[in-house]
């Protein structure tokens, strides 16, 4: 399973974050919001300084590149939970 | 009883403070539990349970100081309730990707500047993409 964390942050900022979190994720820099528009999750002026950012979103993609599960936050507090994510991965494994 | 009421309300708020001020809320005395969930029922129960105790305490003794404590409790309880139910709502998103769709193509640099590409329908390992609001 490939793990990607995507934001509009520059690679340098993501490198520091990855180190601090000791994360196994690959941090992708979508500075232009190509994927944000591809998914329809661009939050215009969502950051305090007016920059567009993404809605908190989680997407599980199968080996054929097909979306099998997707979660988008409706509130600032809301995130996909561990149970949501691991449940989706388990269902994908059962199906394949 | 008014002290128990104040302990419940301000103790709950303190746990939220501990939760929000640590990177890993679940490790901080379990304080994260208080604000977990799409609607954090434990948080709302702590706040309004405390307020209810305060109201119940009005039946006996001097009322004025108790009303003061109650006012101090109701203000944050009302704000937190408003925030979790209404004030934290994001504007409506325009999600166009659905289950069963192909994930869009991309070519993006990773944290080390290495380019990662994906073509539509390309066969490879299953992948989890977490889109987050960024680090600032």
């Amino acid at each position: 399973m490939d793990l990607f964390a995507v934001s509009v942050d520059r690679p340098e900022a993501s490198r520091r974050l990855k180190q601090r979190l000791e994360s196994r994720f690959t941090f992708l820099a979508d500075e232009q919001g190509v994927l944000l528009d591809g998914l329809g999750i661009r939050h215009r002026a969502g950051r305090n300084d007016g920059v567009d950012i993404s809605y908190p979103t989680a997407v599980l993609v199968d080996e054929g590149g097909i979306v099998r599960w997707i979660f988008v936050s409706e509130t600032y507090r809301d995130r996909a939970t561990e149970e949501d994510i691991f449940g989706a991965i388990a269902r994908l494994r059962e199906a394949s | 009883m008014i002290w128990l009421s104040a302990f419940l309300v301000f103790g709950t708020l303190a746990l939220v403070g501990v939760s929000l001020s640590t990177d890993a809320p679940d490790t901080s005395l379990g304080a994260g539990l208080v604000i977990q969930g799409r609607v954090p029922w434990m948080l709302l129960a702590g706040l309004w349970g405390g307020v209810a105790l305060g109201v119940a305490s009005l039946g006996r003794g001097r009322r004025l100081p108790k009303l003061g404590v109650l006012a101090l409790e109701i203000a944050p309880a009302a704000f937190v309730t408003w925030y979790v139910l209404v004030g934290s709502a994001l504007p409506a998103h325009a999600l166009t990707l659905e289950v069963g769709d192909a994930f869009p193509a991309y070519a993006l640099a990773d944290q080390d500047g290495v380019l990662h590409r994906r073509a539509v329908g390309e066969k490879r390992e299953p992948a989890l993409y977490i889109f987050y609001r960024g680090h600032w």
Side-chain angles (χ1 to χ4, degrees):
Chain A
M1 168 90 38
D2 289 330
L3 303 173
F4 296 105
V6 191
S7 75
V8 300
D9 287 352
R10 287 175 296 114
E12 303 86 77
S14 296
R15 187 162 62 234
R16 287 194 295 274
L17 182 61
K18 180 180 163 77
Q19 282 169 354
R20 188 165 68 83
L21 298 177
E22 298 177 4
S23 174
R24 287 170 49 205
F25 277 71
T26 298
F27 284 65
L28 298 179
D30 190 7
E31 294 177 81
Q32 307 303 319
V34 173
L35 278 181
L36 306 193
D37 290 334
L39 273 66
I41 55 167
R42 180 188 285 268
H43 181 191
R44 296 195 181 279
R47 206 164 76 182
N48 293 341
D49 57 4
V51 171
D52 294 354
I53 54 177
S54 85
Y55 283 82
T57 304
V59 185
L60 185 64
V61 178
D62 71 13
E63 55 202 5
I66 302 299
V67 174
R68 300 297 291 267
W69 172 77
I70 187 163
F71 173 92
V72 185
S73 295
E74 308 286 340
T75 75
Y76 289 106
R77 301 175 296 103
D78 204 13
R79 297 290 182 275
T81 63
E82 283 179 26
E83 290 82 1
D84 293 337
I85 293 169
F86 286 118
I89 292 172
R91 286 194 297 278
L92 177 61
R93 290 212 165 122
E94 282 168 16
S96 60
Chain B
M1 196 142 67
I2 191 69
W3 297 117
L4 187 60
S5 156
F7 177 76
L8 200 53
V9 171
F10 296 111
T12 304
L13 290 171
L15 282 176
V16 172
V18 170
S19 249
L20 296 179
S21 61
T22 54
D23 278 345
D26 291 347
T27 62
S28 56
L29 305 170
L33 279 176
V34 174
I35 56 170
Q36 275 178 2
R38 300 274 139 77
V39 176
W41 295 114
M42 207 186 291
L43 167 59
L44 297 182
L47 293 176
W48 291 106
V51 169
L53 273 180
V55 170
S57 77
L58 290 176
R60 281 179 300 176
R62 292 171 55 208
R63 281 194 177 172
L64 203 56
K66 292 177 182 172
L67 284 172
V69 173
L70 257 182
L72 288 176
E73 292 176 357
I74 286 174
F79 173 77
V80 169
T81 304
W82 167 81
Y83 181 77
V84 299
L85 297 180
V86 181
S88 60
L90 285 158
H93 56 74
L95 181 71
T96 49
L97 197 71
E98 293 178 18
V99 170
D101 289 349
F103 196 78
Y106 63 82
L108 299 172
D110 72 9
Q111 69 280 343
D112 299 315
V114 176
L115 200 62
H116 290 251
R117 292 175 183 278
R118 177 168 207 134
V120 172
E122 184 182 330
K123 293 239 181 280
R124 60 153 82 168
E125 286 249 318
L128 177 68
Y129 292 85
I130 302 286
F131 292 82
Y132 66 105
R133 298 173 68 76
H135 178 65
W136 70 88

